[in-house]
Amino acid sequence: MSTTAGTRQRPSSFATRLPGAALTAFTWVIGLVFVAPVLWLVLTAFKQENQAATNPPTLFFQPTLDRFAAVLGADFLPYLGNSAIATLASTLLVLLLGLPAAYALSIAPVKRTQDVLFFFISTKMLPVVAVVVPIYVAAAHLSMLDNVWTLVVLYTAMNLPIAVWMLRSFFLEVPTAIVEAARMEGAGLPRILWSVMMPIMAPGIAATALICMIFSWNEFFFAVNLTAAQAATVPVFLTGFITSEGLFVAQLSAAVVMASLPIVVIGWTAQRQLVRGLSMGAVK
């Protein structure tokens, strides 16, 4: 009797690797679909204006930095400075206010914790257009129109609910035994937050800060309605390339690349902390 009669034939190694290879190829295709518009934007920034909107598109061209020089010559740096001040200051305020609030709602919750959390997130349900008129009137009475610190206050209020929810989920991942041990040693709330929680929470804080920075950097509605010449931000600057004479595609692409570069650099630098932070509160 043959010993191989009842032996089940094993599939070939190619057959076992085929599903994984197909999934990898499909993932690459999806990735390229998402990256293609960004890549085309960057390439357009290095074209001359007459090559940027041709039909069919110009695929072969001599790269030039003229569009970037034109953007810098259009007083781009003051707008960049206003965006940097509004973004960094509001993010710092969000962390200073959000960390104690998230600590209280996670480590030491009260009876109405869920109601407080719902109130925080419910503020994000109100359309921005519904509040811009009273905010404009209040800013005008306080002589705070066209002031970058008005944007700081508004961006802080805009990002604080999201920051509290994110930071609370990160605080819930910290073992309560560590906090209790610090209390047993006589550490107060500032010492617990700074010396005990901050090293553990660093990835979560970095992720929260980066998300708040992205939201503040890209915010357009408040900036375009409450600023003019002194406190306008980068998104307002970008609208200047949409004129009655037409759309300056190459110059607009160069401005977008330069406007996106600071956030891209910050995100690339903090990518390890960002990945750890985003996955920190994902699984209970």
Side-chain angles (χ1 to χ4, degrees):
M1 186 176 181
S2 175
T3 57
T4 61
T7 303
R8 186 175 298 176
Q9 186 177 5
R10 295 183 178 180
S12 64
S13 59
F14 175 77
T16 58
R17 291 197 301 265
L18 183 60
L23 180 61
T24 301
F26 177 75
T27 304
W28 272 100
V29 170
I30 296 297
L32 290 175
V33 168
F34 281 96
V35 172
V38 180
L39 179 61
W40 187 255
L41 173 74
V42 175
L43 291 177
T44 304
F46 291 93
K47 294 180 179 180
Q48 295 289 351
E49 202 63 60
N50 59 355
Q51 300 172 332
T54 58
N55 189 14
T58 302
L59 298 179
F60 302 99
F61 59 93
Q62 183 176 358
T64 178
L65 297 177
D66 292 346
R67 301 305 97 201
F68 292 95
V71 171
L72 291 176
D75 292 332
F76 173 71
L77 294 182
Y79 294 87
L80 185 66
N82 291 332
S83 285
I85 293 173
T87 299
L88 296 177
S90 64
T91 302
L92 180 60
L93 282 176
V94 165
L95 294 180
L96 290 176
L97 298 174
L99 281 169
Y103 177 86
L105 293 171
S106 57
I107 305 300
V110 296
K111 183 178 180 180
R112 298 293 185 179
T113 295
Q114 295 301 321
D115 294 339
V116 173
L117 288 171
F118 177 77
F119 171 75
F120 277 143
I121 204 65
S122 66
T123 60
K124 301 297 295 179
M125 302 176 188
L126 183 66
V128 178
V129 69
V131 297
V132 68
V133 172
I135 290 176
Y136 183 93
V137 173
H141 278 81
L142 295 173
S143 300
M144 292 293 288
L145 288 176
D146 200 17
N147 192 314
V148 70
W149 296 107
T150 302
L151 297 181
V152 171
V153 174
L154 293 175
Y155 292 172
T156 301
M158 176 183 71
N159 291 325
L160 188 57
I162 299 175
V164 170
W165 271 75
M166 289 186 63
L167 291 171
R168 178 179 178 270
S169 67
F170 300 143
F171 271 120
L172 291 175
E173 295 296 315
V174 178
T176 56
I178 298 178
V179 180
E180 294 173 358
R183 288 174 179 170
M184 294 274 300
E185 295 293 330
L189 177 58
R191 182 67 180 274
I192 292 175
L193 284 175
W194 182 258
S195 301
V196 178
M197 307 296 287
M198 287 286 285
I200 303 175
M201 290 276 296
I205 294 173
T208 304
L210 183 59
I211 289 176
C212 291
M213 291 177 66
I214 292 173
F215 287 164
S216 298
W217 190 268
N218 293 333
E219 199 283 324
F220 174 75
F221 195 80
F222 284 136
V224 76
N225 285 284
L226 300 177
T227 65
Q230 301 298 322
T233 57
V234 168
V236 179
F237 173 78
L238 296 179
T239 62
F241 298 102
I242 305 174
T243 66
S244 58
E245 299 176 0
L247 178 63
F248 296 90
V249 178
Q251 197 163 340
L252 178 60
S253 299
V256 171
V257 171
M258 295 177 66
S260 305
L261 196 58
I263 295 296
V264 171
V265 171
I266 293 174
W268 181 268
T269 305
Q271 61 178 327
R272 182 177 301 178
Q273 298 293 331
L274 178 62
V275 172
R276 288 178 58 197
L278 291 177
S279 60
M280 189 176 179
V283 180
K284 284 293 294 172

